Amino acid sequence: MGLIAALLVQGGQMALVLIAAPLVVGLVRKVKARLLRRRGPSPIQPYRDLVRLARKEVVLAENASWLFRAAPYLIFAATWVAAALVPTFARGLMFSWTADLIAITALLGSARFFLALAGLDVGTGFGGIGSSREVLIASLAEPAMLLMVFSLALVAGSTQLSTVAEVMSSSAGLRVSLGLALIALVMVALAENSRIPIDNPATHLELTMVHEAMVLEYSGRHLAMVELASALKLTLYLSLIACLFAPWGLARAGAPAGAYLLGTALFAGKIAIGAVLLAVFETAIAKMRVFRVPEFLGAALMLGLLGTLLLFFSRSL
Amino acid sequence: MQSAGVVLATAGLSLAAAVAGAAVGTRRGGTAIVYAVSLAACTIALAAALAHLLGSAEPSAVTLPLGLPWIGAHFRVDALSAFFLVVVNLGGAAASLYALGYGRHEESPGRVLPFFPAFLAGMNLVVLADDAFAFLVSWEFMSLVSWALVISHHREHENVRAGYIYLVMASFGTLALLLAFGLLAGPGGAYDFASMRAAEPTALVGSLALALVLLGAGSKAGLVPLHVWLPLAHPAAPSHVSALMSGVMTKIAIYAFVRVAFDLIGAPAWWQGMTVLSLGASSAVLGVLYALMQRDLKRLLAYSTIENVGIVFLGLGLALAFRADGLGAGAALNATGLRDIERLGGLIRRMPYTSFAFLVGCVAITGLPPLNGFASEWLTFQAILQSPDLPQWALKFSVPAAGGMLALSAALAAACFVKAFGVSFLGRPRSGAAETAREVDRFSLAAMLALAALCVGAGLVPGVILDALSPVSLSLVAERMPVQATQPWLSVIPIAEARSSYNGLLVFAFVAASAGLAALAIHRFASRAVRRAPAWDCGFPQPSPITQYTGASFSQPIRRVFGSVVFRARERVEIPPPGDPRPARIAVQLRDLVWEGLYEPIAAGVGFAAQKLNKLQFLTIRRYLSLVFVALVSLLVVLALWV
């Protein structure tokens, strides 16, 4: 009985992130449109887009290889697994020990590796420029992310997200290093999800040729997979921030059903707040030049390093 | 008793094959015989080493009445050398298998055949050696034979220069090792490793010896700033040999360092660990940055070897600094990062199997889950996190910085291999040769696919491999990680489950299952129609393949961010005014500051001294006699003052 319940909770977590992901994207778009005094599409528009794309035929470039066709599924799967490993409404899930935060970061790295390769596969200028810039951004964002992980792990004594969330909700308190880590994580999240000011998810024209330029050759169901993966990634980062810095209301393993329901409701609330904040931030700020991006991410890297160094000096900072 | 004897016998077999290679080198069929014999020798030695590693923990020793008459040559296999024997012979077997096919295209087999088996024998003997004399002779043998392989295509001017620089650096490395062993042997001249192990060197002797070993082994491993020969020499050799040099010989250098630093010298001081740590970190980052700037794929791989070696040394430095358990194993696992997959020259459509093997290799080297590279990287990160309570302030600064450097080099390595794979295998063919490329032959394919399978296997069950390695770390740091085989689902849990755990098998299963499910569901319920059409490219597709991204343009943003400091990169763009028919030009200038700052002054100094000493050649006999007399008297005076 316990096993079946644990499996159900684990399955619920996987389904929840998958179902919530397009809604998060739709919500951000809707709020942005309202802030610009447009009406904007309904928040469930991304679901309609995905269904429509999945039903369409794929138009494949003549010289596209097997890698180009396999990559969308690999990218989707790696992102989904990573997103399912971040506690959303409960902690101590059945498979939560499979991979820790470092492994989650690396799984996202795998997804990006294949996406960048797919961008180069057809051999067009757009794909090349997108891949090239994507790996530049990743080469700075990944170390910043890992240093942020270091400072969290030093506070919590663990890289396991369930344990970290438990420590953060009970005994961590306010610390300088955690503040620095939060800022670094938000900066990394903006860069990793190709949001303003790094990239603009609404266009692929010259100024913002990163993510959208890389997936330009994709169409039909392949594009649906890539879009779903990027929505999952946004949800992953929002739930990561929620799980690390607002870990309240996460149900324990084996808690009554009411605790799970409360956890789910709280999760929905946290993600909605995150999405609204993101939309407000994106509306308020301008896109920066590509060659300013390293400075932005370098700052994130230094903040992460500073946080870790502080903890190496004193565990109470 | 047996395993040392068996491996020695296979080394003898390889040497016999080398002699045979010299005899039959030019005849038809000779190539196949020589490589088949080396394959057999490597397989037997591999089996013996594996049996030793998994079975008995008892070291086995053999003494041959060779070499100096009152010493003999001692050979011994313990857990550490058994592990490195596995690495050597695995690489050797794969390279021999590959060469069975590839070697047929060699235009001058007489220059490769005798040396290839001899190189394998030399590497095995270094790992086996149990006294300083046998070690140094094998080491020098290995260096000289590999030098002969580097200049086997001697008609190309570049290769001769590479061979010259390699020879100089190799002699320098042996000199440093010779002095290190001299220091460790002490005034009594106890040159076998057993008595060195028993002796407790003083702090000064210990750190001097460590510095010398770091120079000697580091120059062979390509540790920055002793790396300059590596990207020249490795690509110059035939492909199967350069795979051996990158994949195996650098690991031999790591073996030498581990053997001397951990086993023979003993208790290290914290600042020694920090030196190794910082050298490793800078090698990792600089190596991958150099690799990103390369156009030549083999040279790119050579630089990435430097990065890999840097990461291993970083792990070793951590182990030296705080003797954390299991670190040796992490670094050792890193050393197995089988990076021998080194064939290229085609496209994914023309060479599907080769490109698949290369892709697996790229993912493994880059350290992406679920392959083996990630498992070792993950362990190193855990090691950094394990020890924040260090007593020394300098270490408190440098360990997190080293973690950041490791993360940076990992991310840059991903960029580097996206470039390597993307530009050489993906895209549209850039030349006629690439358009008509054909898949390589069966033997080469078998070798590459076997290595790719090993990378996947080692990544899926890292716990099993860590268990196999535990005698190694046990002998190094006298501590061991908890046994991993008893963990459910073969996961890796260094300390406790609540702290950290990683399960390659499950991650792989989850990713594979969800990718399969997604593909199945979409094809079943949505659409499976495909239409082939010209590339979209935003409506303006350019038919010419030169419009696609090249390697140089791919790495341009990274060059601009990191290169302006590290390489003093300068770009000069000339755009003619409108109406002028001349083409626009861009010139990029990169400078190797290590070469200019360190090696050119030394070379100039040596040249200057040689010029001055040249006068000594043209003295009269009386002057020579008085010179000898003065030298003798001054030596006697020194001796009189000393004693």
Side-chain angles (χ1 to χ4, degrees):
Chain A
M1 188 57 210
L3 183 71
I4 296 175
L7 267 178
L8 270 180
V9 173
Q10 179 69 52
Q13 152 96 2
M14 291 200 83
L16 178 68
V17 286
L18 190 61
I19 293 169
L23 186 64
V24 174
V25 173
L27 186 64
V28 175
R29 284 192 193 149
K30 181 74 180 178
V31 175
K32 269 176 90 172
R34 295 303 301 169
L35 287 172
L36 297 170
R37 309 201 67 181
R38 289 188 284 115
R39 278 176 60 197
S42 143
I44 59 163
Q45 185 61 33
Y47 294 101
R48 297 182 192 135
D49 289 346
L50 285 175
V51 170
R52 192 197 53 199
L53 280 174
R55 285 198 181 138
K56 281 192 166 189
E57 67 172 359
V58 165
V59 182
L60 211 55
E62 273 148 0
N63 58 343
S65 70
W66 60 264
L67 186 73
F68 188 78
R69 303 178 69 169
Y73 300 105
L74 284 175
I75 294 160
F76 165 73
T79 318
W80 190 22
V81 170
L85 287 167
V86 179
T88 53
F89 61 90
R91 61 166 187 262
L93 294 182
M94 196 177 168
F95 289 112
S96 64
W97 46 268
T98 309
D100 61 355
L101 192 47
I102 297 177
I104 291 173
T105 315
L107 265 176
L108 291 178
S110 294
R112 174 175 31 240
F113 184 79
F114 283 104
L115 189 59
L117 283 183
L120 286 170
D121 185 61
V122 177
T124 57
F126 273 99
I129 199 168
S131 299
S132 160
R133 290 178 175 181
E134 177 85 6
V135 297
L136 168 74
I137 291 171
S139 71
L140 289 160
E142 247 176 51
M145 178 78 183
L146 276 171
L147 283 171
M148 194 279 309
V149 175
F150 283 1
S151 32
L152 280 176
L154 290 177
V155 170
S158 165
T159 50
Q160 208 64 352
L161 270 176
S162 277
T163 318
V164 177
E166 194 181 332
V167 173
M168 297 294 267
S169 63
S170 58
S171 58
L174 280 176
R175 289 159 184 256
V176 182
S177 55
L178 288 183
L180 297 177
L182 175 61
I183 301 173
L185 179 59
V186 170
M187 290 166 97
V188 169
L190 287 174
E192 289 272 354
N193 288 294
S194 6
R195 313 302 302 193
I196 295 174
I198 307 296
D199 189 5
N200 188 346
T203 165
H204 59 250
L205 293 177
E206 287 94 51
L207 286 173
T208 54
M209 286 183 192
V210 189
H211 182 84
E212 297 298 318
M214 201 163 39
V215 303
L216 191 65
E217 295 298 327
Y218 274 122
S219 57
R221 54 180 183 270
H222 294 158
L223 185 59
M225 286 281 103
V226 173
E227 297 269 312
L228 188 53
S230 67
L232 270 171
K233 198 168 167 185
L234 180 63
T235 315
L236 183 155
Y237 272 95
L238 285 177
S239 46
L240 186 63
I241 294 173
C243 149
L244 293 176
F245 296 99
W248 308 294
L250 288 180
R252 281 167 202 290
Y260 286 115
L261 280 180
L262 179 69
T264 316
L266 274 175
F267 171 68
K270 289 181 214 165
I271 296 294
I273 294 173
V276 171
L277 285 179
L278 174 64
V280 173
F281 178 76
E282 280 202 301
T283 317
I285 203 162
K287 162 91 180 62
M288 63 170 70
R289 279 185 71 209
V290 169
F291 285 104
R292 296 286 301 282
V293 170
E295 292 165 24
F296 179 83
L297 287 172
L301 189 71
M302 285 303 128
L303 286 176
L305 185 62
L306 199 60
T308 314
L309 276 177
L310 281 178
L311 286 168
F312 265 81
F313 276 105
S314 161
R315 299 302 288 273
S316 60
L317 276 170
Chain B
M1 185 65 211
Q2 289 115 348
S3 47
V6 172
V7 180
L8 261 186
T10 57
L13 185 63
S14 301
L15 284 179
V19 177
V24 301
T26 48
R27 256 175 259 162
R28 288 186 68 240
T31 313
I33 295 169
V34 171
Y35 286 128
V37 172
S38 3
L39 178 60
C42 284
T43 318
I44 297 170
L46 178 64
L50 268 181
H52 184 94
L53 196 59
L54 299 178
S56 65
E58 285 297 300
S60 76
V62 170
T63 308
L64 292 185
L66 295 171
L68 300 183
W70 60 95
I71 292 181
H74 297 73
F75 296 100
R76 179 164 170 273
V77 177
D78 59 7
L80 178 67
S81 44
F83 166 67
F84 275 92
L85 281 174
V86 170
V87 175
V88 170
N89 288 301
L90 202 59
S96 313
L97 185 61
Y98 182 83
L100 272 176
Y102 176 77
R104 264 180 272 159
H105 314 302
E106 182 65 55
E107 61 257 46
S108 52
R111 291 180 171 276
V112 177
L113 278 187
F115 299 118
F116 180 79
F119 182 41
L120 286 176
M123 290 195 290
N124 272 322
L125 287 176
V126 172
V127 181
L128 280 177
D130 195 36
D131 64 67
F133 185 74
F135 185 93
L136 284 173
V137 169
S138 324
W139 181 272
E140 194 61 9
F141 182 70
M142 173 182 88
S143 301
L144 285 179
V145 171
S146 54
W147 168 75
L149 286 167
V150 166
I151 58 159
S152 60
H153 295 170
H154 64 114
R155 291 210 167 75
E156 279 160 50
H157 179 68
E158 285 271 301
N159 291 357
V160 178
R161 176 166 171 266
Y164 175 69
I165 293 177
Y166 176 42
L167 197 62
V168 171
M169 292 297 288
S171 327
F172 167 75
T174 313
L175 176 70
L177 281 179
L178 184 74
L179 291 176
F181 282 129
L183 276 177
L184 285 177
Y191 280 100
D192 55 326
F193 283 177
S195 34
M196 285 189 198
R197 209 171 283 134
E200 284 286 323
T202 61
L204 179 68
V205 169
S207 30
L208 258 181
L210 187 80
L212 283 168
V213 165
L214 196 57
L215 279 180
S219 73
K220 184 64 87 189
L223 208 57
V224 171
L226 301 166
H227 66 282
V228 286
W229 62 273
L230 196 144
L232 300 172
H234 283 198
S239 278
H240 54 297
V241 178
S242 50
L244 270 186
M245 289 177 77
S246 300
V248 182
M249 195 170 71
T250 51
K251 306 304 180 283
I252 299 279
I254 289 166
Y255 164 79
F257 180 76
V258 172
R259 172 64 79 196
V260 178
F262 288 84
D263 195 13
L264 301 186
I265 297 182
W270 64 269
W271 58 267
Q272 299 171 342
M274 208 179 95
T275 315
V276 180
L277 187 72
S278 49
L279 276 178
S282 53
S283 289
V285 173
L286 279 178
V288 70
L289 275 179
Y290 276 118
L292 263 165
M293 300 300 132
Q294 294 309 312
R295 289 183 66 180
D296 180 342
L297 191 49
K298 276 174 94 172
R299 193 165 284 189
L300 183 149
L301 286 172
Y303 273 117
S304 135
T305 308
I306 297 176
E307 181 233 340
N308 235 24
V309 164
I311 292 178
V312 176
F313 268 92
L314 198 146
L316 288 177
L318 281 170
L320 267 178
F322 27 81
R323 303 183 75 102
D325 51 340
L327 270 181
L333 193 63
N334 219 326
T336 44
L338 301 160
R339 45 179 0 286
D340 314 275
I341 302 155
E342 203 161 314
R343 264 330 284 157
L344 65 130
L347 290 163
I348 192 163
R349 287 148 214 104
R350 309 288 311 184
M351 310 171 76
Y353 297 107
T354 305
S355 61
F356 181 73
F358 192 88
L359 181 64
V360 172
C362 287
V363 175
I365 297 173
T366 315
L368 296 175
L371 299 193
N372 59 348
F374 177 68
S376 46
E377 216 170 86
W378 187 82
L379 276 176
T380 316
F381 279 129
Q382 291 299 339
I384 290 173
L385 289 177
Q386 253 183 55
S387 320
D389 302 315
L390 297 165
Q392 293 87 9
W393 288 101
L395 273 180
K396 282 182 192 257
F397 267 124
S398 61
V399 169
M405 297 276 259
L406 179 62
L408 182 64
S409 66
L412 285 174
C416 176
F417 282 95
V418 166
K419 171 184 160 179
F421 188 79
V423 173
S424 50
F425 286 93
L426 302 177
R428 287 171 281 168
R430 292 184 173 81
S431 63
E435 215 163 335
T436 54
R438 285 180 44 221
E439 188 61 276
V440 293
D441 56 87
R442 275 171 302 156
F443 293 112
S444 309
L445 264 186
M448 291 189 294
L449 291 178
L451 284 179
L454 266 176
C455 287
V456 176
L460 293 189
V461 287
V464 175
I465 296 191
L466 280 181
D467 273 350
L469 293 183
S470 66
V472 182
S473 54
L474 191 66
S475 65
L476 285 184
V477 289
E479 279 177 75
R480 59 177 293 164
M481 288 171 65
V483 176
Q484 305 289 343
T486 53
Q487 302 291 354
W489 302 87
L490 300 169
S491 48
V492 183
I493 301 173
I495 308 148
E497 187 182 313
R499 261 189 92 121
S500 55
S501 59
Y502 166 67
N503 187 319
L505 192 63
L506 265 189
V507 168
F508 181 75
F510 280 153
V511 171
S514 25
L517 266 181
L520 199 71
I522 292 232
H523 284 104
R524 177 75 184 75
F525 297 111
S527 143
R528 52 190 310 147
V530 173
R531 181 156 55 89
R532 289 277 180 176
W536 159 234
D537 205 12
C538 234
F540 300 96
Q542 294 290 323
S544 161
I546 59 164
T547 56
Q548 59 187 327
Y549 251 51
T550 61
S553 40
F554 186 84
S555 51
Q556 188 261 355
I558 291 180
R559 189 176 71 222
R560 208 165 143 172
V561 173
F562 296 98
S564 52
V565 183
V566 181
F567 307 111
R568 299 275 166 81
R570 295 273 176 279
E571 276 177 27
R572 218 178 50 245
V573 184
E574 278 174 38
I575 298 180
D580 191 337
R582 280 182 301 144
R585 286 183 187 285
I586 177 165
V588 178
Q589 190 194 15
L590 295 177
R591 287 165 56 189
D592 188 340
L593 294 184
V594 173
W595 181 260
E596 288 176 13
L598 189 63
Y599 288 86
E600 281 183 1
I602 292 178
V606 169
F608 180 75
Q611 201 85 45
K612 291 289 168 202
L613 288 176
N614 199 14
K615 283 184 190 146
L616 284 182
Q617 253 185 316
F618 306 102
L619 300 183
T620 59
I621 188 78
R622 278 176 297 130
R623 290 195 170 194
Y624 275 127
L625 282 176
S626 51
L627 208 61
V628 168
F629 182 70
V630 169
L632 201 63
V633 167
S634 48
L635 277 178
L636 283 172
V637 168
V638 166
L639 202 64
L641 290 177
W642 190 274
V643 178

